[in-house]
C-alpha cells in the first residue's frame, strides 16, 4: 500500500520559492514534480505573485484539481507584498 493510504504520510509539500516564476519552464518543472510523486498526495505552495494573478489563477487551479494537488496558501505577515495572491480554493478532496 502507498504510504499515504497506510496512514503514515499525509502529503508531500513542495514549497516553490519566489524566484520560481510562472513561466513555461517552471510550469513544466511543477508538472514533472507532480508526476514523479504519483501516487503520493502532493501539496504545492507557490511564492511568486505570478502563479495566481488574474491571468494564471484559473489555469493553475485547474491544473491542481486535475492532478489532485493540494493548493497551499502562503502564510505571511500582513504588509508583505512580494508573495503570491491568497486564493482560498480546495483543489483536492483528500486534504
Amino acid at each position: 500500500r502507498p504510504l499515504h493510504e497506510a496512514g503514515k504520510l499525509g502529503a508531500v509539500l513542495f514549497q516553490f520559492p519566489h524566484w520560481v516564476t510562472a513561466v513555461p519552464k517552471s510550469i513544466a518543472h511543477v508538472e514533472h514534480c507532480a508526476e514523479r510523486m504519483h501516487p503520493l498526495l502532493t501539496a504545492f505552495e507557490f511564492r511568486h505573485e505570478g502563479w495566481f494573478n488574474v491571468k494564471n489563477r484559473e489555469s493553475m487551479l485547474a491544473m491542481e484539481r486535475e492532478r489532485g494537488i493540494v493548493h497551499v496558501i502562503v502564510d505571511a505577515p500582513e504588509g508583505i507584498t512580494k508573495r503570491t495572491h491568497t486564493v482560498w480554493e480546495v483543489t483536492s478532496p483528500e486534504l
Side-chain angles (χ1 to χ4, degrees):
R1 292 182 351 179
L3 288 176
H4 70 283
E5 287 180 14
K8 296 182 183 193
L9 180 66
V12 177
L13 173 63
F14 284 79
Q15 292 177 303
F16 295 100
H18 190 264
W19 61 82
V20 177
T21 61
V23 296
K25 182 178 179 181
S26 294
I27 293 169
H29 175 68
V30 165
E31 290 175 338
H32 175 75
C33 290
E35 289 168 12
R36 293 284 298 182
M37 296 307 297
H38 184 75
L40 295 176
L41 183 62
T42 54
F44 287 0
E45 179 184 303
F46 299 95
R47 303 236 170 164
H48 190 272
E49 57 271 14
W51 288 101
F52 290 97
N53 62 17
V54 173
K55 176 184 171 191
N56 295 326
R57 179 177 297 145
E58 291 309 314
S59 63
M60 286 303 299
L61 290 170
M63 185 273 295
E64 288 179 322
R65 279 188 205 100
E66 288 167 13
R67 296 177 178 276
I69 296 167
V70 177
H71 176 70
V72 177
I73 295 171
V74 174
D75 182 21
E78 289 212 23
I80 302 295
T81 57
K82 292 198 71 136
R83 65 180 182 90
T84 193
H85 302 278
T86 300
V87 177
W88 297 98
E89 190 77 29
V90 175
T91 56
S92 172
E94 291 187 57
L95 185 64

